[in-house]
Amino acid sequence: MSIGATWAGTHTFAAARLIEATSIDELQEAVATTDGPVRALGTRHSFNDLADSPGTLITVTSIPADPALDVGNRTVTVGAGARYGDLAVWLEAQGWALHNMGSLPHISIGGAIATGTHGSGVTNGCLSDAVAAVEYVDAGGQLRSVRRGDEGFEGLVVGLGAYGITVRVTLDVQPTFLVRQDVYRDLPWNTLLEDLPGVMGAGYSVSAFTMWAEDTVQQVWRKSRIGMGDTPQPSWLGARFERPDESGLVDVPPANLTVKGGAAGPWLERLPHFRLDSTPSNGDEIQTEYFVALSDGAEALRAVRSLADDISPHLLVTELRTVAADGLWLSGAHGRDTLAIHFTWRNSPAAVAALTPRIEAALAPFGARPHWGKVHSMTADAVAEVTPRLADAQEQFEALDPDGRFANDHLRRLGLRTPR
């Protein structure tokens, strides 16, 4: 029986078997009694073979979320298979919030954390940066936990499913807050490049959208946290407010997007780009993303713009976001405030395969890191060169899983697990 494909159809799973665990006990038994390699499968929002296995896939999305709020420690503990949007709705009802959201609220908490997924904001860490503890099932089916402050914790949060199957996660929370979302059109490229940190720091969360070849940046989504002193104006740095009759993102029905136009609303209805009750994103697409230091961001963007005429015919849109530095070993923002350069491509695999090496060559002088769950062409040597703690992470994965039960070809190909 075919297990099917990733969310966008960019990879068809080769695993021989899929187990849908409905409880932690059931998951433990499945890992303990299944022969051969196993991997965790979440909401399938990866674009490569990272989540695949030559043996068995086990999904935790059917295990009850059972969120538990700890007001004293300002944390929530929740099932790893829960969607971010569902947790956000639950937290808002209790008067609490997460520090940030990704553009899609439909993704699983465990999968997003394991790959270093992020939202935007120069002072906002990636989603993984909010992790205070991880509970996981090891290769023998035993339940283990690791907490912030424990030795090796920073190597296991963005863990790529390489050492076990995460079942519950503890996240930092804060009191609920309001956000307004304003969209600006036609920001001059020169304005963006002359003060990239200033433009991207003009709101609690800022995203810029471009096709690269224009004289102006098509859209800037400026999400302002109410009470933090940011007061958007109808004209800003040469850009203008979006008119009501102007469409949103390419090929995305406006009703699928979160509320724009300046009306304040709860954080969970403004920080994501897409509504939880809508179809996420375009679907028929390929995604690629690279992380560079924000201090190098303007020069990196200039380098990519030199390829604009070749990129734009195959592109749906590029989104630029920022991520605050963290200490997580495999995070794209490890050790540096970061500019994330994201490409949503048309579903043209041959064209993307031809373009990614050229983009990577343009970004190589800036130490660009790839998003683990998206399509790229970087070799193990290239990834190791830009990931300072990769060898430490590999050593830790091997120590926790010496028989390689959670390893797969993708992890070995990038040097994250050793060949065997």
Side-chain angles (χ1 to χ4, degrees):
M1 181 183 68
S2 173
I3 293 171
T6 54
W7 167 80
T10 51
H11 173 75
T12 299
F13 291 101
R17 183 184 180 201
L18 173 66
I19 297 175
E20 297 188 26
T22 60
S23 69
I24 294 176
D25 288 344
E26 192 176 310
L27 171 63
Q28 290 180 260
E29 181 180 2
V31 174
T33 60
T34 298
D35 292 331
V38 294
R39 294 281 290 165
L41 181 64
T43 45
R44 304 185 183 217
H45 201 265
S46 56
F47 290 81
N48 54 34
D49 59 343
L50 174 63
D52 209 348
S53 172
T56 301
L57 295 178
I58 305 178
T59 179
V60 299
T61 56
S62 295
I63 298 177
D66 290 337
L69 184 66
D70 184 336
V71 173
N73 288 316
R74 293 167 69 110
T75 62
V76 65
T77 301
V78 65
R83 297 188 300 173
Y84 261 101
D86 292 331
L87 174 62
V89 170
W90 187 89
L91 281 173
E92 174 65 13
Q94 319 303 313
W96 292 85
L98 301 168
H99 80 289
N100 210 352
M101 296 277 282
S103 62
L104 294 174
H106 310 74
I107 53 179
S108 71
I109 294 168
I113 286 168
T115 54
T117 296
H118 58 94
S120 192
V122 295
T123 62
N124 295 325
C126 67
L127 303 183
S128 317
D129 198 39
V131 175
V134 173
E135 220 176 334
Y136 67 95
V137 173
D138 70 11
Q142 297 299 306
L143 195 60
R144 309 287 185 187
S145 65
V146 60
R147 304 191 65 83
R148 187 182 286 146
D150 291 348
E151 184 178 359
F153 173 81
E154 293 82 2
L156 298 182
V157 176
V158 183
L160 308 177
Y163 63 91
I165 297 180
T166 301
V167 290
R168 287 184 72 76
V169 180
T170 300
L171 304 170
D172 297 331
V173 295
Q174 57 186 276
T176 186
F177 55 92
L178 298 177
V179 174
R180 60 176 284 169
Q181 182 171 208
D182 298 281
V183 176
Y184 290 87
R185 294 273 182 159
D186 301 327
L187 177 76
W189 258 106
N190 287 341
T191 300
L192 177 68
L193 296 176
E194 287 169 5
D195 186 14
L196 181 66
V199 172
M200 299 303 290
Y204 184 75
S205 170
V206 174
S207 294
F209 294 89
T210 182
M211 292 294 289
W212 295 102
E214 322 95 327
D215 293 330
T216 60
V217 177
Q218 285 189 352
Q219 301 179 45
V220 178
W221 291 27
R222 188 175 172 189
K223 302 168 191 259
S224 306
R225 183 162 171 167
I226 303 302
M228 293 188 69
D230 179 38
T231 307
Q233 302 297 321
S235 179
W236 169 63
L237 300 178
R240 58 174 176 80
F241 267 153
E242 180 180 71
R243 296 189 305 269
D245 63 329
E246 291 181 293
S247 61
L249 297 178
V250 61
D251 292 344
V252 178
N256 287 10
L257 302 173
T258 49
V259 175
K260 300 177 288 182
W267 59 281
L268 70 164
E269 296 177 5
R270 299 295 186 275
L271 291 180
H273 297 338
F274 296 88
R275 292 169 42 176
L276 179 62
D277 60 354
S278 74
T279 301
S281 191
N282 178 273
D284 187 22
E285 64 196 44
I286 299 171
Q287 292 187 13
T288 295
E289 188 168 35
Y290 302 100
F291 304 103
V292 300
L294 181 57
S295 57
D296 290 330
E299 289 307 310
L301 293 176
R302 289 187 176 97
V304 177
R305 284 198 84 204
S306 70
L307 303 174
D309 289 343
D310 295 328
I311 289 172
S312 58
H314 306 289
L315 191 67
L316 287 169
V317 73
T318 275
E319 181 178 8
L320 307 175
R321 291 180 285 178
T322 54
V323 191
D326 60 54
L328 305 175
W329 294 357
L330 296 182
S331 166
H334 173 79
R336 64 191 191 189
D337 292 334
T338 291
L339 175 70
I341 306 172
H342 179 274
F343 302 82
T344 300
W345 303 102
R346 299 184 184 278
N347 195 354
S348 303
V352 173
L355 282 166
T356 50
R358 298 178 63 194
I359 294 170
E360 289 160 9
L363 291 176
F366 312 105
R369 300 166 180 163
H371 189 298
W372 301 112
K374 300 180 182 180
V375 172
H376 64 89
S377 307
M378 294 178 68
T379 65
D381 288 343
V383 171
E385 185 175 344
V386 297
T387 311
R389 302 300 298 270
L390 187 142
D392 297 320
Q394 183 209 70
E395 181 180 359
Q396 186 165 225
F397 297 156
E398 294 296 324
L400 292 172
D401 178 29
D403 294 328
R405 294 203 68 207
F406 298 108
N408 67 358
D409 289 344
H410 186 97
L411 295 173
R412 295 188 187 100
R413 195 163 62 241
L414 294 184
L416 291 154
R417 295 299 307 260
T418 58
R420 59 183 72 242

